Amino acid sequence: MIIVMRAGARQEQVDHVCERVREMGLQDHPIVGTDLTVVAVIGDENKVDGGVIEQLPGVDRVMRVMAKYKMAALAAKDGRRSEIEIAPGVSFGGTLVPVIAGPCSVESAEHILACAQAVKASGAHALRGGAFKPRTNPYAFQGHGEEGLKMLAAAREATGLPIVTEVLTPSEVGLVSEYADCLQIGTRNAQNFKLLQACGQQPKPVLYKRGMAMTIEEYLQAAEYILAAGNPNVILCERGIRTFEDHTRNTLSLSAVPELHQRTHLPVVIDPSHGTGHARLVPDMARAAMAAGADGLAIEMHPDPEHAMTDGAQSITPEALTDLIVSLARVAAAVDRTCGAEREVV
Ligand code: PEP
Ligand code: MN
C-alpha cells in the first residue's frame, strides 16, 4: 500500500501516519520526494482500513497495490488461466468454448428430455434448467424442486449431457450437488456469503453469476468466498447488470470478459439471454461474446418459447440454437478457439 501525503504535509503528520501503520503491525517506509512525501507500507494490506488512513491529517490518498482477492487473482496462478471441467471433455478456460443451453425452468420430465435432446442435437455441451427458481414474484412458478432435479438427472441419463442447475439456499447445497454436475449461483444470491461458502465446501464446480448491481471488484471478492472455503472450481458468469437503459432487460457488459481476464485466472462465461432479455438479440450477443474472448456461453432455449413457464421472451428455439452454434464455431476459429460438436460423445 502507498500512502500519498498532501503537498506541504507537515513532518508531524507524516510521523503520525507512520505510527498508525506500525500500530497495525506493518512496516512504514517514508519516501521524501521533491514535491511530495509518500509512505510505502510493507505487509498484509488487508489489515489496514485505507479509508481510515485517508482521513488522517495531511493524507491525500491511499493506493492498494495488492488485489483484495488473493486466490482469485491472476497472480495466484502466475498468470496462467484455470481450466475447469464439469464433465469429461467439457471444460471452461481451455481452447473449447462450451455452450450451456436449455430452458429457464424444468417444466416436466417430457419437457426437459425434449430440451436435452435438442441441446444435444445442436452440438451444445451442457444442459441447463432451473429446478429451484428465484422468482421476483412470490406467486410465480417456483420450480419443481427435488422432482425437477430428478427430471434433469433422467435427461442426463438419456443424452449424456452434464447438467447445470441453480441452488438457492445453503441448506439445499447438499441436495442439489447430489444431482448436478455444476451448481449455479444466481445473480440475486451473488452476495449471499453463506451460500457462497456452502458451495465452497462441496466439490462440484460452481457457475457463479455476477450480481446485477455488483462492481467487478465486489464480484471477485465474493468469488473469493467460494475459493477460500475450499472449492477451486469457480466459473464466473456475466449475465448483465442494471443500468438506466431499458431497451434490454439488463445491460450485458461484454467488456467484463477482457477485464476479468486481466484480473483473475477464473474462466468467464457470458449469458446473453438474461443479459438482453430478448431472444432476437441473443445470437448476435453470443457471437460478440465469443469474439470478446468468453470461455463459455449460457443460453436459454425452449422448444416452444411462447408457452415457456419462465423467461420465454429471451429463449431461442432449438433451430436458432443449432444455427447459432454453426456460426459460433466460425467466430471461435477466428479467435483461436473451438465450439460446436467437436467433443467425443461417449
Ligand atoms: C437463470 O439462469 O434462469 C437465472 C435465474 O439467472 P440470473 O440469476 O442470472 O437471473
Ligand atoms: Mn431464466
Side-chain angles (χ1 to χ4, degrees):
M1 176 176 283
I2 307 286
I3 303 168
V4 183
M5 304 300 296
R6 287 184 197 286
R10 294 195 305 278
Q11 186 57 45
E12 64 262 30
Q13 294 176 327
V14 178
D15 292 344
H16 180 61
V17 166
C18 292
E19 265 165 46
R20 292 291 297 116
V21 168
R22 287 196 297 273
E23 244 174 61
M24 292 174 188
L26 297 141
Q27 286 174 28
D28 58 298
H29 285 276
I31 302 161
V32 183
T34 46
D35 297 321
L36 290 176
T37 295
V38 301
V39 179
V41 179
I42 316 287
D44 183 0
E45 287 185 343
N46 291 318
K47 289 188 187 158
V48 188
D49 185 338
V52 170
I53 299 276
E54 240 166 35
Q55 304 306 310
L56 297 179
V59 174
D60 182 21
R61 62 191 190 279
V62 170
M63 292 167 347
R64 289 182 66 99
V65 290
M66 305 282 294
K68 287 185 181 160
Y69 33 89
K70 286 186 181 158
M71 300 176 78
L74 191 58
K77 289 245 170 152
D78 296 329
R80 279 172 290 114
R81 300 271 177 84
S82 284
E83 203 170 323
I84 296 171
E85 189 172 73
I86 66 164
V90 185
S91 64
F92 294 79
T95 305
L96 176 70
V97 180
V99 177
I100 304 163
C104 181
S105 315
V106 177
E107 299 180 7
S108 68
E110 299 71 39
H111 163 258
I112 195 66
L113 180 61
C115 289
Q117 283 160 344
V119 168
K120 175 88 174 262
S122 74
H125 308 83
L127 175 68
R128 60 148 289 143
F132 293 94
K133 294 303 302 174
R135 305 307 305 281
T136 303
N137 185 324
Y139 304 114
F141 174 57
Q142 304 285 313
H144 289 303
E146 185 170 4
E147 284 312 304
L149 296 175
K150 290 182 180 161
M151 296 171 195
L152 280 165
R156 171 179 51 205
E157 191 67 29
T159 58
L161 290 170
I163 56 182
V164 181
T165 194
E166 182 163 354
V167 58
L168 295 182
T169 66
S171 62
E172 283 158 347
V173 167
L175 174 70
V176 178
S177 68
E178 270 175 44
Y179 292 92
D181 296 283
C182 178
L183 303 182
Q184 177 175 317
I185 298 176
T187 195
R188 293 161 188 79
N189 265 319
Q191 281 178 308
N192 178 341
F193 301 119
K194 294 286 177 210
L195 179 63
L196 301 182
Q197 282 170 329
C199 288
Q201 286 160 357
Q202 59 77 55
K204 295 281 172 74
V206 179
L207 182 72
Y208 171 43
K209 291 190 162 196
R210 176 178 176 183
M212 62 181 94
M214 263 172 134
T215 64
I216 295 273
E217 187 69 17
E218 289 164 341
Y219 187 29
L220 288 173
Q221 286 181 72
E224 185 88 2
Y225 270 92
I226 310 174
L227 301 172
N231 188 348
N233 297 318
V234 177
I235 302 163
L236 301 174
C237 179
E238 168 64 60
R239 47 76 72 202
I241 50 174
R242 282 275 169 94
T243 70
F244 56 85
E245 180 56 79
D246 63 3
H247 85 280
T248 47
R249 181 178 178 185
N250 293 290
T251 295
L252 183 58
S253 173
L254 284 183
S255 59
V257 178
E259 181 63 38
L260 285 166
H261 280 158
Q262 286 171 33
R263 296 189 192 208
T264 179
H265 54 87
L266 300 172
V268 183
V269 163
I270 287 287
D271 171 350
S273 308
H274 294 88
T276 63
H278 299 292
R280 61 190 162 77
L281 301 180
V282 167
D284 284 329
M285 294 314 285
R287 287 184 285 265
M290 177 70 81
D295 300 301
L297 289 155
I299 295 176
E300 287 190 340
M301 180 228 66
H302 196 285
D304 182 10
E306 282 180 35
H307 296 101
M309 290 176 78
T310 56
D311 282 351
Q314 65 193 36
S315 298
I316 63 172
T317 61
E319 297 72 35
L321 179 66
T322 302
D323 290 348
L324 174 58
I325 289 186
V326 171
S327 66
L328 279 174
R330 292 207 295 267
V331 182
V335 291
D336 299 326
R337 307 293 282 270
T338 59
C339 184
E342 302 88 349
R343 181 169 68 99
E344 283 264 304
V345 179
V346 276

